[in-house]
Amino acid sequence: MVRLSLVPFGLLTPSLALSPVADANEPWTNFLVFDAHYLPMAKCWFRWFEQNASPQPLKVGCMDARSCAEARNWQAPLQSKVSHMEVLNEVDTSLLTRRAEARGAAAKRALEVKSEGTVLPRQMIRSEASEDAAAQEAGDGQWPRNNYIHMYHRMIWDTLEQHQRAILHLDIDALWLKSPDQYLHKVLRKHPDADIVVSSSTEANPLSLREKWGFVLNVGFILYRYTDKVKALFEEDLLPAKHQSCQQLLNFALDKKGCTWRSNDTNTSDTFGKCGGLKVVALSQSFVSRSVDLSYSPEALPKLPAIAHPDTGLLTMTGISRMKKFRDMNSAAEGRVRGMWRVSPKIIGWA
């Protein structure tokens, strides 16, 4: 039976030694984050996930009371489908606690910077990110919220440390037409020393790297493995950064290390790359698709991508423009009939 726990971010178990190379057969934890402004999309995502659920543990980062309540509603339907479910309640991590942590970190930093060239320890870097998150708690009317952007990599790394195994981060608008597990295990058997396995696209985010590589890496579906090289990436490049999109940050951080790819085309096949010491698999766009012109039918399913993550543009916190777009495309599952989600003839009628 699935177990549900509700804990604040940052309560971690003692860290074990990381493996220099991850196990190709290792399990991972599916990790999803959303807030109340994404509730319609969350309900849609859950319906697809329930139908094609992965048995891997599911961790949900809810960012307010309504999203936490929605995540808890998923417990019963997923009892026999996932091995464990955990809800991370960011609301319980109080603003005062974060500010106190930030003040303590600032005081320590003031002492350490007296020594030229001092590198801040990771726990202080995380505190700086918490300070930024606290300052942006009220939000600025846009999604992703500033606190989400600042917290994204901290949430990922804290979860990696807590579980001490790979984390598959999922965007709430990346719909599971099929379970990705079998294909991911195949990729890991082929590339057992991969540090990151990530979806790819030709979106212009960032444009300069699309022009340079022929594609970009999309963090809406990304497997971070628990390796020394991934730890170094977080500590040296991702956790210290401020005021930058999490997707742009990852792409630029890897590019700075010097990436070489076996192919500049990920339209129909995966490609393998080395970015400094990091080994990265960019998944085929036929596996995780950003297309907006797919058409769903049960007969067509074998030829459709496992993950439909259409590039519908940015969502603002007022109006839920992305969910409206999905409804316009008939992408929302309807009622539930006989244990399966009933769908319209074109549940994803992207024309």
Side-chain angles (χ1 to χ4, degrees):
M1 177 177 291
V2 64
R3 293 174 288 127
L4 179 72
S5 54
L6 190 63
V7 297
F9 285 118
L11 297 183
L12 305 177
T13 55
S15 181
L16 300 178
L18 281 75
S19 170
V21 177
D23 180 0
N25 297 314
E26 70 173 329
W28 57 82
T29 297
N30 294 317
F31 185 36
L32 180 76
V33 181
F34 69 98
D35 74 356
H37 294 88
Y38 246 131
L39 277 178
M41 180 60 68
K43 294 175 187 291
C44 182
W45 181 90
F46 168 71
R47 291 171 180 175
W48 281 105
F49 182 80
E50 183 188 13
Q51 181 173 334
N52 303 299
S54 162
Q56 311 289 352
L58 174 64
K59 201 165 192 175
V60 179
C62 50
M63 302 189 75
D64 49 43
R66 291 175 62 200
S67 58
C68 290
E70 174 63 25
R72 287 192 292 270
N73 288 337
W74 300 352
Q75 179 185 18
L78 294 178
Q79 281 185 356
S80 62
K81 299 185 183 239
V82 302
S83 60
H84 176 73
M85 181 175 173
E86 184 175 5
V87 175
L88 297 172
N89 189 354
E90 167 60 12
V91 178
D92 287 347
T93 304
S94 71
L95 182 63
L96 290 176
T97 299
R98 288 205 296 267
R99 284 177 173 167
E101 179 189 22
R103 284 194 298 269
K108 292 180 181 178
R109 185 172 65 253
L111 293 175
E112 292 195 13
V113 295
K114 291 180 180 179
S115 175
E116 185 177 355
T118 296
V119 177
L120 298 179
R122 180 175 51 80
Q123 61 268 27
M124 292 178 65
I125 293 170
R126 185 185 297 136
S127 297
E128 290 183 274
S130 297
E131 182 181 37
D132 288 341
Q136 298 294 338
E137 182 68 20
D140 58 3
Q142 296 181 348
W143 179 267
R145 289 182 182 176
N146 283 341
N147 64 336
Y148 174 86
I149 291 175
H150 291 305
M151 291 165 51
Y152 170 85
H153 288 109
R154 177 176 67 84
M155 290 188 290
I156 296 293
W157 180 248
D158 284 353
T159 305
L160 278 165
E161 282 199 315
Q162 181 184 15
H163 288 260
Q164 300 181 3
R165 65 179 185 183
I167 296 297
L168 177 60
H169 170 260
L170 313 161
D171 269 4
I172 199 70
D173 61 344
L175 306 180
W176 289 40
L177 306 189
K178 302 176 240 184
S179 171
D181 287 23
Q182 184 176 357
Y183 189 81
L184 287 178
H185 281 302
K186 179 181 176 181
V187 169
L188 294 177
R189 286 193 296 270
K190 184 176 181 180
H191 303 285
D193 56 350
D195 296 289
I196 297 174
V197 179
V198 54
S199 59
S200 66
S201 75
T202 55
E203 63 192 294
N205 185 22
L207 175 61
S208 61
L209 293 188
R210 184 187 70 179
E211 294 174 345
K212 182 176 183 178
W213 295 346
F215 59 87
V216 299
L217 305 177
N218 185 284
V219 298
F221 187 93
I222 179 168
L223 183 74
Y224 298 93
R225 305 184 80 193
Y226 191 60
T227 66
D228 288 319
K229 293 172 184 175
V230 169
K231 178 181 180 180
L233 174 70
F234 273 83
E235 293 185 341
E236 297 169 10
D237 301 292
L238 304 181
L239 291 174
K242 299 180 181 181
H243 308 297
Q244 190 172 16
S245 138
C246 43
Q247 178 162 311
Q248 291 190 16
L249 176 58
L250 177 69
N251 278 268
F252 284 131
L254 293 176
D255 179 59
K256 187 186 298 185
K257 297 179 184 300
C259 293
T260 56
W261 302 98
R262 289 181 181 172
S263 170
N264 296 109
D265 183 1
T266 62
N267 285 318
T268 58
S269 60
D270 307 334
T271 190
F272 178 79
K274 291 184 178 181
C275 301
L278 282 155
K279 298 179 180 179
V280 182
V281 177
L283 293 169
S284 166
Q285 296 174 56
S286 63
F287 177 66
V288 180
S289 175
R290 296 286 279 161
S291 174
V292 296
D293 58 4
L294 299 177
S295 179
Y296 174 87
S297 71
E299 296 75 20
L301 185 58
K303 296 183 179 180
L304 290 178
I307 308 297
H309 187 200
D311 186 3
T312 56
L314 295 176
L315 174 80
T316 60
M317 293 182 72
T318 57
I320 315 302
S321 57
R322 183 169 297 179
M323 190 60 203
K324 180 181 183 303
K325 180 70 172 178
F326 268 61
R327 287 195 180 114
D328 291 344
M329 297 185 298
N330 296 319
S331 65
E334 295 174 324
R336 193 177 179 192
V337 179
R338 296 176 185 172
M340 295 294 289
W341 289 105
R342 184 183 65 204
V343 297
S344 58
K346 290 186 178 180
I347 202 168
I348 302 180
W350 294 323

